[in-house]
């Protein structure tokens, strides 16, 4: 990252990033202007949460149809059903994220620890804290080189400092960097993808870009496909201006696809079909 006083804002000057930011803002404004949002925004928020959780779970290997997620009530993973546990974790994170908005700007590391605890639904001694030296990571769908525990601790502290200090960077830029950094670090022994996408959602909502949480970027990440997601992440990890800009643009497109999903929900509600 840049060494300027506001490194996140500096990323907004990368080629193509301003265009992505503008496109996302216009898309979000359009769905917020839909007539259904004036009287049924809670219904749109609830549906966006469900669809966002489904999308995040799909990227972590549990690609269930939306109606199965809607119908299912047991996500305990009984009988070794890891996909059910993943979907359950994604649903819990979606519900929990809204409760953590006020804490994020003051204590982002505390929020990340809480997100991991909620995702894992476990009381083991590796849960809710960054991994330590010698601990392995269960994140089979991300095959990037794994930073060691010392690097993880340092980069997490740096990320937290940026969040606490605040930035003039657009919400999309901050959300994309939080998401990309958490995926690159895989700070916890498990569930890093779910946690990273939940943190991205917290930034988008808490920044005021999507205050009602109706633009699920997770839907867009899943719709673009795991291969494209991982290729964009490779660009972020490369650290090149082009790679970081491509990752931000990928995240922007994901928000726009989430907007499209919620616009369809609004249209269905307007017709009385949902």
């Amino acid at each position: 990252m840049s060494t300027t006083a506001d490194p996140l804002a500096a990323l907004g000057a990368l080629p193509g990033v301003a265009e992505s930011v503008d496109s996302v803002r216009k898309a979000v404004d359009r769905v917020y202007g839909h007539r259904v949002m004036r009287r049924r925004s809670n219904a749109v928020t609830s549906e966006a949460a469900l669809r966002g959780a489904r999308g995040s779970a799909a990227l972590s290997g549990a690609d269930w149809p939306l109606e199965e997620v809607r119908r299912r009530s047991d996500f305990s993973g009984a009988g070794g059903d890891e996909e059910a546990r993943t979907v359950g974790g994604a649903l819990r994170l979606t519900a929990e994220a809204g409760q953590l908005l006020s804490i994020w700007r003051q204590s982002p590391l505390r929020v990340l620890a809480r997100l991991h605890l909620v995702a894992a639904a476990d009381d083991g001694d590796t849960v809710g804290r960054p991994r330590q030296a010698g601990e392995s990571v269960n994140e089979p769908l991300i095959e990037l080189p794994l930073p060691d525990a010392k690097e993880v601790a340092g980069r997490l502290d740096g990320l937290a400092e940026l969040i606490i200090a605040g930035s003039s960077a657009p919400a999309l830029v901050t959300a994309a960097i939080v998401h990309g950094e958490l995926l690159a670090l895989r700070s916890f022994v498990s569930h890093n993808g779910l946690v990273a996408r939940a943190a991205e959602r917290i930034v988008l909502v808490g920044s005021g870009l999507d205050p009602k949480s109706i633009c699920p970027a997770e839907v867009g990440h899943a719709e673009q496909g795991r291969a494209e997601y991982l290729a964009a992440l490779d660009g972020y990890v490369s650290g090149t201006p082009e790679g970081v800009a491509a990752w931000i643009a990928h995240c922007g497109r994901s928000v726009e696809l989430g907007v499209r999903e919620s616009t369809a929900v609004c249209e269905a509600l307007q017709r009385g079909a949902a």
Side-chain angles (χ1 to χ4, degrees):
M1 287 187 187
S2 168
T3 58
T4 64
D6 190 350
L8 290 175
L11 295 177
L14 291 174
V17 170
E19 291 82 355
S20 294
V21 168
D22 185 56
S23 182
V24 165
R25 168 52 71 187
K26 289 177 179 177
V28 171
D29 286 348
R30 282 195 299 272
V31 72
Y32 270 84
H34 197 286
R35 63 167 56 187
V36 166
M37 288 297 296
R38 292 198 292 270
R39 62 186 188 279
R40 300 196 65 184
S41 64
N42 288 343
V44 181
T45 295
S46 296
E47 190 64 19
L50 183 71
R51 296 179 184 217
R54 193 217 74 82
S56 189
L59 286 168
S60 286
D63 192 359
W64 287 14
L66 179 63
E67 291 311 311
E68 174 66 10
V69 179
R70 196 190 305 278
R71 178 194 68 79
R72 189 83 167 255
S73 59
D74 179 12
F75 298 98
S76 64
D81 189 348
E82 289 301 317
E83 288 194 5
R85 287 176 58 86
T86 297
V87 175
L91 289 167
R92 290 190 299 273
L93 283 174
T94 300
E96 185 75 10
Q99 310 302 313
L100 299 171
L101 294 171
S102 63
I103 306 172
W104 173 255
R105 283 293 299 274
Q106 287 73 43
S107 186
L109 297 184
R110 178 181 166 196
V111 169
L112 293 175
R114 176 62 185 171
L115 291 175
H116 186 248
L117 184 67
V118 169
D122 189 358
D123 59 1
D125 61 5
T126 63
V127 173
R129 61 157 175 80
R131 56 186 169 84
Q132 298 174 357
E135 291 180 336
S136 60
V137 174
N138 180 18
E139 205 74 38
L141 301 179
I142 298 177
E143 299 178 349
L144 294 168
L146 191 66
D148 63 29
K150 183 177 180 180
E151 181 179 352
V152 167
R155 287 171 63 175
L156 278 179
D157 285 344
L159 182 64
E161 288 171 6
L162 289 176
I163 299 302
I164 293 168
S167 172
S168 62
L172 173 63
V173 172
T174 302
I177 296 308
V178 167
H179 184 172
E181 192 72 356
L182 293 176
L183 280 182
L185 293 177
R186 280 144 294 159
S187 310
F188 302 102
V189 297
S190 63
H191 301 90
N192 291 284
L194 294 181
V195 168
R197 291 183 288 275
E200 178 186 51
R201 167 106 326 261
I202 286 172
V203 175
L204 293 171
V205 174
S207 67
L209 176 66
D210 180 21
K212 294 183 182 294
S213 194
I214 63 166
C215 307
E218 305 93 328
V219 168
H221 288 303
E223 186 172 332
Q224 293 185 83
R226 192 178 301 147
E228 191 164 335
Y229 183 66
L230 295 177
L233 178 61
D234 282 345
Y236 174 80
V237 172
S238 75
T240 65
E242 297 80 8
V244 174
W247 169 251
I248 295 170
H250 174 88
C251 291
R253 178 60 177 157
S254 295
V255 175
E256 292 184 66
L257 290 170
V259 167
R260 187 177 72 179
E261 187 88 354
S262 286
T263 301
V265 170
C266 287
E267 294 295 327
L269 288 169
Q270 185 167 283
R271 295 192 303 270

